[in-house]
Amino acid sequence: MEGGVAEADVSAFRECLSLSWKNPFVLRLALSAGIGGFLFGYDTGVISGALLYIRDDFKEVDTKTWLQEAIVSMALAGAIIGASVGGWINDRFGRKKSIVVADTLFFIGSIVMATAMNPATLIVGRVFVGLGVGMASMASPLYISEASPTRVRGALVSLNGLLITGGQFLSYVINLAFTTAPGTWRWMLGVAAVPALTQVILMAFLPESPRWLFRKGREEEAKEILRKIYPPQHVEDEINALKESVEMEVREAAASDKVSIVKLLKTKTVRRGLYAGMGLQIFQQFVGINTVMYYSPTIVQLAGFASNRVALLLSLVTAGLNAFGSILSIYFIDKTGRRKLVLLSLFGVVGSLVVLTVVFHETTAHSPMVSTIETSHFNNTCPGYTIATNPSQWDCMTCLKASPQCGFCASRANKLLPGACLISNERTEDECKKEERQWYSRGCPSKYGWLALIGLALYIIFFSPGMGTVPWVVNSEIYPLRYRGICGGIASTSNWVSNLIVAQSFLSLTQAIGTSSTFMIFIFITLAAIIFVIIFVPETKGLPIEQVENMLQTRSLNFKFWQSSPQSAQVPDQKHQSV
């Protein structure tokens, strides 16, 4: 059995559900801390829909791809800083205070964005939100992990993942709700201040992490919390195990120099943990998930669905599937194991990306032609088409790529028939729509658009249960206690740096090499991720956090990922069998 803990009669998932009546304190703690994950998810989802309307209000945003990417990615730049300092704040001031600071920054950023009068102010608000999200992205799962019973630790940390995807889903619902309201995107971005304020209030009534309290010598406070978490017959064993672990860490700290990057890399257990933790976080982003979440409505438009509202509605489906995948993760992560689940997830992602690559290639190859007659019907012909030496060979994709100032007005009889290549502005768009035609400025009409939606849906279904959750779970439990804050900060920073690179380059890549080739790049990265997981990522299922270090110390490479490693099988600790 992976992890070395005998299977309980009742699955970890069902035990997690039973907490609502057996030990509601633990579930309340996990849900309250998990609001940080909800904020993370909400920000990820809300900007994708808000961006459609920000482009309408600020014309320079509409015509400049780099400015759209900046609005999305400046939050990620803030998250990099937030995650970087978050490790130190977590170790110095505690997990609870870190979460409250993150909420405060998120609250400030939401207000700034909602009242922004220009793109520059909007970007400043995005940076504040990013600082909060970066801190919360590591503090929330760390807090939940350190205050959870071992048997359901994976499921409860996965609950944070569920709240991330739940926040994404709710953001699409709110985006749809405000599509016809005055202010549209201002409401979309400003509503995020409410859950941030809610979490500040809830955290005031929750304790600090017992592991952090032990580390700071506040043993009586820690014991009191552990008595609320574990059943009476197990609590003393847990207290003794945690006390021994912390005492060992303190002795090690006293006998060694101050923690440094060099020392981290020289320590075998920490180095192996960082390989696995950082690698998972980096690959989580480079397989392309946040191109789907940040730009989902834009991708839907690239697939041939012109309306902003339709794009948001269809994106809501992918967000719902993402939330559903997180529920599957809660069920499977303590049943199947972290490593096997993430590998199954990656194999599914490869298949989904192949579908998307083929679909967008076919969409581009079979784009509707530009009709000289249809174009001359209007008085706003695209300048590039006017001076073209071969206008008879122009199709919709040629028109859109000619200039950001050009758009395609589809034929009234059938959107797949030849249409008009026109200057892209409000007047031209209105003239096109008045004749009951469809206006395209991001993608072209296509009979393959529904296949793109299927590809997106499959991508989310496979990604969410494994790669969407496992990296955060593994990072919350794989590092020795003394290094947990700083290593978690390093791993989270690597996640946000990777996120920034992908978000800042996606739209530019689609313009430079095409959507199909962009998704093909993600295929090769995902194949590399599969190889990485097989070689470097250990199984931590069922292992008490105190014993993960021993497993890393003796672990060797295991290419037969479906089999348990000998080391992990030697953990017969029965006290972790039940909650």
Side-chain angles (χ1 to χ4, degrees):
M1 290 166 293
E2 290 174 302
V5 177
E7 289 290 342
D9 293 335
V10 184
S11 71
F13 176 72
R14 294 189 180 186
E15 289 184 33
C16 186
L17 291 178
S18 72
L19 285 174
S20 59
W21 58 272
K22 287 174 63 177
N23 193 347
F25 173 78
V26 175
L27 193 60
R28 178 164 61 89
L29 181 150
L31 287 171
S32 298
I35 294 177
F38 177 88
L39 292 172
F40 177 6
Y42 186 89
D43 177 71
T44 302
V46 75
I47 193 61
S48 63
L51 188 61
L52 301 179
Y53 297 93
I54 292 170
R55 292 193 311 225
D56 291 341
D57 278 7
F58 300 129
K59 291 306 172 185
E60 61 267 43
V61 176
D62 188 42
T63 57
K64 296 176 181 177
T65 299
W66 69 266
L67 197 51
Q68 295 175 39
E69 290 174 329
I71 291 172
V72 171
S73 60
M74 281 304 100
L76 306 179
I80 292 170
I81 299 172
S84 299
V85 302
W88 176 80
I89 293 175
N90 265 278
D91 283 344
R92 178 68 178 83
F93 300 103
R95 298 17 172 168
K96 178 180 173 179
K97 289 181 180 178
S98 295
I99 293 173
V100 172
V101 171
D103 288 327
T104 304
L105 292 168
F106 200 98
F107 181 86
I108 294 171
S110 298
I111 300 302
V112 171
M113 288 189 299
T115 57
M117 301 307 296
N118 53 62
T121 306
L122 183 60
I123 289 173
V124 171
R126 292 287 293 161
V127 171
F128 270 96
V129 165
L131 289 168
V133 168
M135 292 182 63
S137 68
M138 64 162 296
S140 291
L142 185 61
Y143 179 83
I144 296 170
S145 174
E146 293 186 345
S148 299
T150 301
R151 183 67 180 86
V152 294
R153 186 178 67 230
L156 287 176
V157 177
S158 294
L159 184 62
N160 183 67
L162 173 61
L163 288 170
I164 291 175
T165 56
Q168 290 168 339
F169 179 79
L170 184 62
S171 71
Y172 284 109
V173 174
I174 289 177
N175 281 348
L176 279 171
F178 287 114
T179 52
T180 57
T184 52
W185 60 270
R186 297 183 185 279
W187 286 102
M188 297 173 183
L189 299 177
V191 164
V194 176
L197 185 60
T198 301
Q199 188 173 36
V200 170
I201 296 171
L202 290 175
M203 292 303 295
F205 299 96
L206 290 177
E208 182 53 81
S209 158
R211 297 181 188 278
W212 185 83
L213 290 173
F214 257 105
R215 188 75 177 82
K216 296 300 180 180
R218 295 158 62 178
E219 294 187 10
E220 291 306 315
E221 294 179 57
K223 290 178 182 178
E224 187 63 30
I225 298 166
L226 289 173
R227 292 188 181 99
K228 294 181 180 180
I229 294 173
Y230 287 93
Q233 65 270 29
H234 296 150
V235 68
E236 289 304 319
D237 288 337
E238 290 294 336
I239 289 174
N240 291 334
L242 184 56
K243 185 176 181 180
E244 291 173 7
S245 175
V246 171
E247 287 176 349
M248 182 180 69
E249 295 285 350
V250 171
R251 287 195 299 270
E252 181 183 339
S256 61
D257 298 327
K258 188 176 180 180
V259 174
S260 65
I261 298 298
V262 174
K263 179 173 177 57
L264 289 178
L265 296 178
K266 285 183 177 180
T267 306
K268 182 193 294 185
T269 55
V270 180
R271 185 174 66 250
R272 288 178 172 176
L274 275 175
Y275 287 160
M278 287 182 64
L280 282 173
Q281 295 285 32
I282 290 169
F283 278 116
Q284 184 192 62
Q285 298 305 318
F286 276 103
V287 299
I289 179 57
N290 278 328
T291 62
V292 175
M293 299 316 300
Y294 289 135
Y295 300 113
S296 182
T298 302
I299 293 173
V300 170
Q301 289 185 332
L302 288 171
F305 298 90
S307 165
N308 283 355
R309 187 172 179 82
V310 170
L312 282 174
L313 185 60
L314 293 175
S315 299
L316 180 62
V317 176
T318 63
L321 291 172
N322 200 19
F324 175 71
S326 296
I327 296 174
L328 292 180
S329 177
I330 294 175
Y331 178 81
F332 284 111
I333 196 163
D334 281 320
K335 188 178 181 69
T336 305
R338 284 71 159 142
R339 196 162 179 254
K340 188 184 297 183
L341 184 60
V342 80
L343 283 169
L344 292 172
S345 173
L346 287 169
F347 279 115
V349 167
V350 169
S352 307
L353 288 171
V354 169
V355 172
L356 287 169
T357 299
V358 172
V359 168
F360 278 104
H361 177 269
E362 292 300 305
T363 298
T364 302
H366 297 87
S367 176
M369 300 301 293
V370 174
S371 166
T372 303
I373 297 175
E374 290 287 322
T375 301
S376 62
H377 176 73
F378 299 90
N379 295 321
N380 299 311
T381 303
C382 169
Y385 182 75
T386 303
I387 63 174
T389 57
N390 56 343
S392 62
Q393 298 180 18
W394 273 45
D395 59 16
C396 173
M397 292 303 300
T398 310
C399 175
L400 297 187
K401 290 181 178 180
S403 168
Q405 282 77 36
C406 293
F408 185 80
C409 183
S411 171
R412 178 185 300 176
N414 185 334
K415 66 180 183 179
L416 298 177
L417 293 176
C421 183
L422 308 172
I423 295 175
S424 181
N425 55 42
E426 288 185 9
R427 186 170 69 85
T428 307
E429 183 177 350
D430 289 342
E431 288 180 2
C432 176
K433 291 179 177 179
K434 282 179 182 178
E435 296 192 10
E436 297 181 358
R437 302 170 184 247
Q438 289 189 344
W439 177 254
Y440 294 85
S441 59
R442 303 292 162 190
C444 292
S446 172
K447 62 181 179 181
Y448 301 105
W450 63 276
L451 286 174
L453 296 179
I454 291 176
L456 284 174
L458 288 173
Y459 179 95
I460 292 295
I461 289 171
F462 282 111
F463 179 91
S464 183
M467 279 302 285
T469 303
V470 170
W472 299 106
V473 174
V474 170
N475 272 279
S476 71
E477 60 192 12
I478 201 170
Y479 306 116
L481 179 61
R482 183 184 172 215
Y483 303 101
R484 192 160 297 142
I486 188 170
C487 289
I490 293 171
S492 291
T493 301
S494 67
N495 180 285
W496 289 111
V497 171
S498 305
N499 195 336
L500 174 62
I501 293 171
V502 173
Q504 186 65 30
S505 62
F506 177 70
L507 291 181
S508 298
L509 274 174
T510 59
Q511 284 193 341
I513 64 175
T515 310
S516 177
S517 297
T518 302
F519 281 117
M520 185 179 293
I521 291 174
F522 291 140
I523 292 175
F524 291 115
I525 294 174
T526 307
L527 291 173
I530 291 172
I531 297 171
F532 171 84
V533 172
I534 291 174
I535 296 175
F536 290 104
V537 178
E539 180 56 71
T540 56
K541 169 194 168 187
L543 283 176
I545 290 179
E546 293 78 14
Q547 296 183 21
V548 171
E549 184 172 1
N550 295 332
M551 179 269 294
L552 289 173
Q553 182 69 36
T554 58
R555 179 181 182 268
S556 59
L557 300 183
N558 179 15
F559 289 92
K560 296 181 179 179
F561 66 87
W562 58 89
Q563 295 181 0
S564 304
S565 60
Q567 308 90 298
S568 65
Q570 299 172 2
V571 192
D573 209 337
Q574 296 299 319
K575 70 175 181 273
H576 301 290
Q577 298 293 320
S578 59
V579 180

